[in-house]
Amino acid sequence: MSHQLHRIICLTLVVLLLSSEVSGIGVFEVRIVSFYNSDSITQTRTCCEGITENSVCSQKCRTYFSICLMHYQNPPPLDSKCTFGADMTPVLGESTFHLGSHANVIRTIELPFSFAWPQSFTLSVEAWHDNLRNDTFRDPRYMIQRVVHTSIVQPSHRWVKKVMRSNITMMSFEYRVVCNKNYYGKKCDHFCRVRDDELGHYYCTENGTRKCMEGWKGNYCDQAICPEQCHNSYGSCKKPNECSCRIGWEGEFCTKCKKDPNCLHGICYEPWQCICQHGWTGFLCNIDKNYCSKYKPCENGGSCKFDPTSNYTCSCPPSFKGSNCQYKRCPRENPCSNDGKCVEIHTGYRCHCAEGFTGDRCEKHVKSCDKIVCENHGTCVMGEVGGWCACPKGFTGDFCEKEINECQSSPCQNGGTCVEYFDDYACSCPSDYGGKNCELYLPCPCRNGGTCIGLSRCECRNGFTGRRCEILINKCKRLRCRNGGTCLSYAREGREECICPLGITGPECQYKNYCVQKPCLNGGTCRYHQRQRSFKCSCSSEYMGNWCQYDKRTAPQIRNEPDSSNMPSYRGEQSFRGEQSFRGEKSFTGKQPMSRGNRVFSFAKLIYFLPILTLNIRLMVCNI
């Protein structure tokens, strides 16, 4: 029902679509082939243009044509309306011209129609002289010729040629009727459009009739053609040459019924049946009538009987129980020792032992912790079966007497040697291997014959250096390293480099890093400036001086002495350069005249500056 409703809706949409396309179902085409007016005169026998000289018009006509298509009238009235359409051409030529029969858009007039073509028609063709070059007004004096043709024509792509003559002119034109795309028939009123969808699968013939595509049938070619073997009642086709089964049927051609999905040993003749095969019974054919004889499930002398609900039932002797008589009952004589009681359980029986005994038959005495000695710091724990030793890490055994050998399981791989430790082990791996168990392949990264020391260090042979022995030591040609520096030549890269010892810096190891010698006292921090070749001591809050050598509690006594206005004023962070004197708010260079006007240094001042002057002079003499 839903499929029919869907089809009705789709057909309604198609009808609406077709109604919107009926804006034109065909076209009447006219084109002028040739026109002869040798005298260049109109139908009133006057010249189109100019004057008459020796019975000859001095100028040619400019000829255009007016087309009027109307319903069939014979004879047509002169004032008849163009009921089927009208149009005109531009100027096609002068008094006489020949355009040929080839297609020409300029001289072809198209008159579309949106009704069923009646086949009979009346066509009026008028030749005019363009005197005003104005299509909106036509003066009857300038009509050259008017011809009227009445006939019957059916839609076709062939042109119908017509030649009309008068006393002064001859006109040749042709016409035809052509149906629009998807329209066919003698009246262009038959619609047919190729489609390949759920509404149909067909194409259109030359006369517009539907012809089904291969594999489809029906008025609208919407029914798939099924294979001949496909069952008519249990199968159907949605696509050609396929067989889709209805519910309850299966197989290539839908001839096999589906049985109940839980049916084990049965067949069906209709969907969802379960008809048992020989030897089976039950609603789902899951009960084996011959189970007892096939499998003999009853043990210990039990007798088997067929049961329609559970295949079989075992009748057990008095001493056994269970679905297969596989479990023992408590015998008449108590099997439990030491006053133990026999208790039946689901899987047989067991002995419930008296206090102080354990075992399957209560045959073992329970040991208490006061009689158990645990070695290696083990701890005795009481349980249901008596005391037992809980061993610390690294020991095992009933009394924790055995040390666990971690190397016993041979954990080291790839030829590694196991070294046992307490509660641990280590692997001594061969070269190219590493990891806890020597499981990692680690090829030696040392180049040029270097020897691997561990996993990250290389011992290079003579002539090579670098982290991986990748640098060839060549004699330097351009660079000369000072202060014990070593020159390396990179021949491949074309450069040389100085490797300076500790405390030396610079491209040629020419600068000394004074901070290496730790010149700052009393916990001061040394900062070396390579560009200025100087260093600074950052003093703590309790000290001052270039080397933080003065305690601020005693330094103010010197600073506050009389005539101390010219003393250098030190800050918490002082700097020193070998070429110059101390930097401060005031610089002491030794070049100030020691005159009375400048107030000569006192003995205390000399003692204050003596260590500084001594170091300054030593550095200047040594040129460092």
Side-chain angles (χ1 to χ4, degrees):
M1 186 67 182
S2 59
H3 178 71
Q4 294 179 353
L5 180 60
H6 180 262
R7 182 173 181 80
I8 292 173
I9 294 174
C10 292
L11 290 176
T12 304
L13 293 175
V14 170
V15 172
L16 293 175
L17 180 62
L18 292 180
S19 64
S20 64
E21 292 185 354
V22 178
S23 58
I25 59 175
V27 60
F28 188 96
E29 297 180 345
V30 182
R31 64 184 181 187
I32 306 300
V33 176
S34 61
F35 187 72
Y36 294 93
N37 182 11
S38 57
D39 294 334
S40 300
I41 60 176
T42 65
Q43 66 180 357
T44 59
R45 295 186 175 275
T46 58
C47 292
C48 293
E49 288 280 344
I51 59 175
T52 303
E53 296 179 356
N54 299 324
S55 300
V56 178
C57 295
S58 61
Q59 295 185 21
K60 302 292 185 180
C61 299
R62 293 186 301 276
T63 309
Y64 71 93
F65 297 86
S66 175
I67 310 298
C68 177
L69 182 65
M70 62 197 83
H71 57 281
Y72 179 79
Q73 299 180 73
N74 192 12
L78 294 177
D79 58 349
S80 177
K81 294 183 178 180
C82 303
T83 53
F84 289 173
D87 201 353
M88 61 179 60
T89 70
V91 174
L92 299 180
E94 295 182 341
S95 300
T96 298
F97 57 85
H98 181 75
L99 300 176
S101 58
H102 299 289
N104 191 310
V105 177
I106 296 178
R107 60 187 175 85
T108 300
I109 299 296
E110 294 183 350
L111 302 175
F113 57 87
S114 59
F115 47 85
W117 176 245
Q119 301 185 37
S120 61
F121 67 95
T122 298
L123 176 65
S124 171
V125 182
E126 299 174 349
W128 291 80
H129 166 60
D130 183 21
N131 64 314
L132 298 176
R133 294 180 176 83
N134 187 350
D135 297 339
T136 59
F137 175 74
R138 285 177 289 179
D139 191 338
R141 294 177 299 172
Y142 294 99
M143 180 186 290
I144 302 174
Q145 181 185 8
R146 181 176 187 268
V147 297
V148 177
H149 176 65
T150 301
S151 183
I152 296 175
V153 63
Q154 295 181 358
S156 173
H157 287 280
R158 292 188 304 111
W159 291 91
V160 178
K161 296 183 179 180
K162 195 68 178 175
V163 178
M164 308 291 286
R165 293 180 174 84
S166 68
N167 294 332
I168 58 175
T169 60
M170 183 182 71
M171 182 190 303
S172 175
F173 62 90
E174 53 191 8
Y175 61 88
R176 67 180 179 182
V177 174
V178 179
C179 296
N180 287 346
K181 183 180 179 181
N182 300 327
Y183 288 91
Y184 301 87
K186 296 181 179 180
K187 297 182 179 182
C188 296
D189 58 348
H190 183 67
F191 181 83
C192 180
R193 178 168 54 190
V194 178
R195 71 183 318 129
D196 187 12
D197 52 29
E198 60 180 4
L199 295 181
H201 306 271
Y202 56 85
Y203 57 89
C204 302
T205 62
E206 293 183 356
N207 59 1
T209 57
R210 288 186 294 268
K211 188 171 181 67
C212 296
M213 297 180 181
E214 185 177 0
W216 297 92
K217 64 180 180 178
N219 293 334
Y220 293 95
C221 306
D222 54 351
Q223 302 174 17
I225 298 177
C226 298
E228 294 181 359
Q229 301 90 335
C230 187
H231 200 283
N232 293 331
S233 301
Y234 309 142
S236 62
C237 295
K238 295 181 180 179
K239 295 181 180 179
N241 300 319
E242 78 169 16
C243 192
S244 300
C245 300
R246 304 188 189 280
I247 297 176
W249 297 91
E250 60 185 355
E252 183 180 2
F253 301 112
C254 307
T255 55
K256 184 180 178 182
C257 63
K258 285 185 178 181
K259 62 181 182 180
D260 190 299
N262 297 316
C263 183
L264 295 181
H265 302 280
I267 59 175
C268 68
Y269 299 107
E270 295 292 336
W272 321 124
Q273 286 181 341
C274 187
I275 301 174
C276 296
Q277 299 173 356
H278 178 71
W280 294 90
T281 185
F283 181 73
L284 298 174
C285 303
N286 57 334
I287 306 299
D288 190 351
K289 294 181 179 180
N290 302 314
Y291 195 92
C292 289
S293 59
K294 286 181 182 178
Y295 304 104
K296 298 180 180 179
C298 301
E299 304 175 11
N300 299 309
S303 59
C304 183
K305 295 181 181 180
F306 170 72
D307 190 326
T309 58
S310 60
N311 282 327
Y312 70 95
T313 300
C314 289
S315 297
C316 302
S319 298
F320 295 92
K321 65 177 181 177
S323 59
N324 294 336
C325 306
Q326 70 271 35
Y327 302 124
K328 289 184 178 182
R329 295 180 179 274
C330 285
R332 292 180 180 179
E333 294 183 3
N334 189 2
C336 305
S337 305
N338 300 309
D339 296 329
K341 294 182 179 180
C342 182
V343 179
E344 290 190 359
I345 58 177
H346 176 69
T347 57
Y349 69 88
R350 61 174 297 220
C351 288
H352 184 70
C353 301
E355 186 177 356
F357 296 92
T358 186
D360 293 340
R361 296 291 183 266
C362 305
E363 72 278 9
K364 297 179 181 179
H365 287 277
V366 175
K367 291 183 179 180
S368 59
C369 283
D370 56 354
K371 296 181 180 181
I372 297 176
V373 179
C374 300
E375 302 180 12
N376 296 309
H377 303 287
T379 303
C380 183
V381 180
M382 283 299 296
E384 292 182 0
V385 296
W388 57 279
C389 289
C391 300
K393 195 173 184 181
F395 293 93
T396 186
D398 292 340
F399 303 101
C400 307
E401 74 279 9
K402 298 178 182 179
E403 182 180 351
I404 297 174
N405 185 3
E406 283 79 5
C407 288
Q408 187 174 1
S409 61
S410 301
C412 302
Q413 306 173 18
N414 298 307
T417 302
C418 184
V419 180
E420 203 268 338
Y421 297 102
F422 176 72
D423 194 31
D424 199 2
Y425 69 93
C427 290
S428 177
C429 303
S431 59
D432 295 349
Y433 288 94
K436 174 69 175 177
N437 299 323
C438 306
E439 74 278 8
L440 302 177
Y441 177 64
L442 302 172
C444 182
C446 304
R447 305 179 185 175
N448 299 310
T451 303
C452 286
I453 307 299
L455 298 178
S456 60
R457 190 166 69 87
C458 292
E459 183 177 337
C460 304
R461 62 189 181 92
N462 293 335
F464 294 91
T465 186
R467 185 179 179 184
R468 296 288 182 260
C469 306
E470 74 277 11
I471 301 174
L472 175 64
I473 300 177
N474 295 327
K475 292 184 178 180
C476 294
K477 297 179 180 180
R478 300 185 302 275
L479 200 60
R480 294 290 181 268
C481 302
R482 307 177 189 178
N483 298 314
T486 302
C487 187
L488 299 181
S489 175
Y490 301 88
R492 182 174 297 177
E493 301 178 14
R495 65 183 181 90
E496 297 175 353
E497 180 184 8
C498 284
I499 305 300
C500 303
L502 183 65
I504 306 299
T505 184
E508 298 180 358
C509 304
Q510 70 270 36
Y511 304 132
K512 289 188 176 181
N513 186 349
Y514 302 100
C515 288
V516 176
Q517 302 174 2
K518 299 182 179 179
C520 302
L521 305 176
N522 297 313
T525 302
C526 182
R527 297 180 181 176
Y528 177 69
H529 300 279
Q530 179 176 341
R531 181 177 298 177
Q532 301 175 359
R533 288 180 288 174
S534 64
F535 69 90
K536 286 184 178 181
C537 286
S538 298
C539 304
S540 63
S541 60
E542 299 177 356
Y543 293 89
M544 61 182 292
N546 289 318
W547 293 274
C548 308
Q549 71 273 33
Y550 297 113
D551 192 331
K552 288 185 178 180
R553 293 174 293 180
T554 59
Q557 298 176 2
I558 299 174
R559 188 181 298 118
N560 296 331
E561 286 184 356
D563 300 327
S564 63
S565 60
N566 290 332
M567 292 291 290
S569 176
Y570 295 101
R571 291 172 291 182
E573 186 177 87
Q574 304 293 338
S575 65
F576 174 77
R577 296 180 62 180
E579 301 88 342
Q580 300 176 3
S581 61
F582 302 100
R583 293 179 181 176
E585 295 178 359
K586 294 184 179 180
S587 177
F588 175 70
T589 63
K591 296 181 182 180
Q592 295 180 359
M594 300 179 65
S595 63
R596 186 175 298 275
N598 287 327
R599 297 184 181 181
V600 181
F601 285 143
S602 65
F603 182 73
K605 297 177 183 177
L606 181 61
I607 293 175
Y608 181 82
F609 277 103
L610 185 58
I612 305 174
L613 292 172
T614 303
L615 179 61
N616 193 19
I617 293 171
R618 181 174 63 84
L619 295 175
M620 293 173 63
V621 172
C622 294
N623 192 23
I624 58 176

